[in-house]
Amino acid sequence: MPLYMAWRGALGDTGLWWSQTRDGITWTPHQRVLGAMSLERPVLAAWRGLLYLAWRDERDQALWWAVSDGSSWSRPRAVPGAHSSHSPALVAGHHGLHLYWKGPGADERLFHAAFDGRFWIPGQALFNGWPMTSSRPSATTTHTACTWLTFTGAGRDRTIRLCPSPDGTEWNHRHVVRGPHTATGSWPSVVGRTGAGRADRLLLAWPDHDGAVWCALSQDAAQHWSRPAPVPARTLRGIAFAGWGTVDAYAAWAMTPEGEYGIFWADTTGGPTWHDPDTLCPLQHGQRRLDERASLREPAMAAYGTMWR
């Protein structure tokens, strides 16, 4: 089962690119997603044997999507009525394919649309239309019992919030909980695992105001968190996660080493301790750069094939 990555180019390159790995070490040469352009990061998800890509258009705030059989991409199409000031979140699970996004401009509501295999069901505001966030959401559902959204607060509130949904469609503001007692410099990302009779195990990562990355682990579905721990990464904006055959997931991010916008990645099996995907040794700063790949934003990743063990 391959792992796919998609990313926005560096500097003036607003095109979207993609690549894949089958062994977690070697990546195929990168290729363009024809017709896809964005100022923000794209998002990826695998659903019903196909790979889906979504992004915010470079010219306006409209959201677009394309689908792939693992070898080539369809022509880009707009998600009806979906506009955002940030990148969206895209997740696939037992209950379907779901897209989440913050509203356009100063609109701090969160919105949701579901895909039925042919059409997007029209988007609707979540949490009774209350203002929820000034940044983009992150979501996970591939290996968890619930679909989880994480985001920062509205206005200037940079604290981390999380909320579970049983099916990705029903969301209740009473179920919103605070993450670790800290603030993030941009936005948090979440990934998780579950098991028979166990609560969702969640790994949360976020950059501080200096770009240093921190993470925390919850073993009880976001009720309690480990003490935030630094990981050997610095990022321009955020962290990307993808569950792929490991206890937690792989992580990827973009940073600026000596003026070059490199993409780096790590195995997060150890939770707060991240490892080199090849040697499995604890990762050091500046290690595991993906050759010939550069981006102004963190990339997106998704496993293509059977998602659940």
Side-chain angles (χ1 to χ4, degrees):
M1 179 176 66
L3 179 69
Y4 280 77
M5 179 183 290
W7 64 94
R8 189 226 127 146
L11 300 179
D13 180 7
T14 58
L16 299 185
W17 300 81
W18 65 284
S19 181
Q20 66 166 297
T21 180
R22 292 183 176 273
D23 58 9
I25 301 171
T26 304
W27 291 81
T28 61
H30 54 286
Q31 303 176 60
R32 286 194 87 113
V33 180
L34 296 179
M37 311 284 282
S38 182
L39 296 174
E40 303 292 335
R41 68 167 296 216
V43 286
L44 277 173
W47 184 63
R48 292 185 176 177
L50 295 172
L51 195 64
Y52 290 83
L53 180 73
W55 65 93
R56 177 182 179 266
D57 187 75
E58 69 162 344
R59 295 166 299 180
D60 53 30
Q61 299 188 60
L63 300 183
W64 289 70
W65 68 285
V67 62
S68 173
D69 60 2
S71 60
S72 62
W73 290 94
S74 70
R75 64 175 179 83
R77 285 167 280 185
V79 179
H83 294 78
S84 178
S85 57
H86 292 292
S87 172
L90 183 67
V91 293
H94 294 290
H95 300 284
L97 184 68
H98 300 273
L99 186 71
Y100 305 96
W101 67 93
K102 175 201 169 292
D107 186 347
E108 296 188 326
R109 292 177 296 171
L110 282 170
F111 293 83
H112 163 253
F115 187 67
D116 66 3
R118 295 183 60 195
F119 303 103
W120 288 97
I121 299 171
Q124 60 180 352
L126 302 179
F127 303 108
N128 297 321
W130 290 7
M132 298 298 294
T133 183
S134 61
S135 66
R136 73 177 192 221
S138 170
T140 187
T141 190
T142 302
H143 297 284
T144 50
C146 294
T147 299
W148 288 89
L149 276 178
T150 183
F151 45 88
T152 60
R156 297 183 178 180
D157 183 356
R158 306 304 298 173
T159 57
I160 299 171
R161 316 294 177 86
L162 297 100
C163 187
S165 167
D167 59 4
T169 300
E170 298 296 327
W171 297 88
N172 190 329
H173 70 276
R174 295 185 179 88
H175 297 160
V176 175
V177 298
R178 289 183 178 270
H181 297 289
T182 186
T184 175
S186 56
W187 31 70
S189 299
V190 65
V191 70
R193 292 273 179 168
T194 193
R198 298 201 305 266
D200 284 343
R201 180 180 188 264
L202 301 174
L203 179 64
L204 189 72
W206 65 94
D208 63 21
H209 292 281
D210 295 321
V213 178
W214 297 75
C215 71
L217 191 65
S218 173
Q219 304 280 8
D220 56 4
Q223 296 304 304
H224 301 89
W225 292 92
S226 65
R227 183 185 299 274
V231 294
R234 298 188 67 84
T235 178
L236 294 171
R237 303 300 288 272
I239 293 289
F241 282 129
W244 188 57
T246 61
V247 174
D248 288 306
Y250 278 131
W253 61 95
M255 63 176 289
T256 311
E258 301 177 356
E260 298 180 8
Y261 297 90
I263 294 176
F264 295 75
W265 76 318
D267 184 332
T268 71
T269 300
T273 302
W274 292 8
H275 296 84
D276 184 310
D278 185 5
T279 67
L280 300 183
C281 294
L283 197 72
Q284 303 297 316
H285 278 282
Q287 292 183 333
R288 296 313 298 175
R289 178 173 179 171
L290 296 179
D291 294 337
E292 300 180 355
R293 290 162 177 80
S295 180
L296 285 176
R297 302 289 186 268
E298 80 274 24
M301 294 187 294
Y304 175 65
T306 303
M307 292 182 294
W308 297 280
R309 290 180 175 179

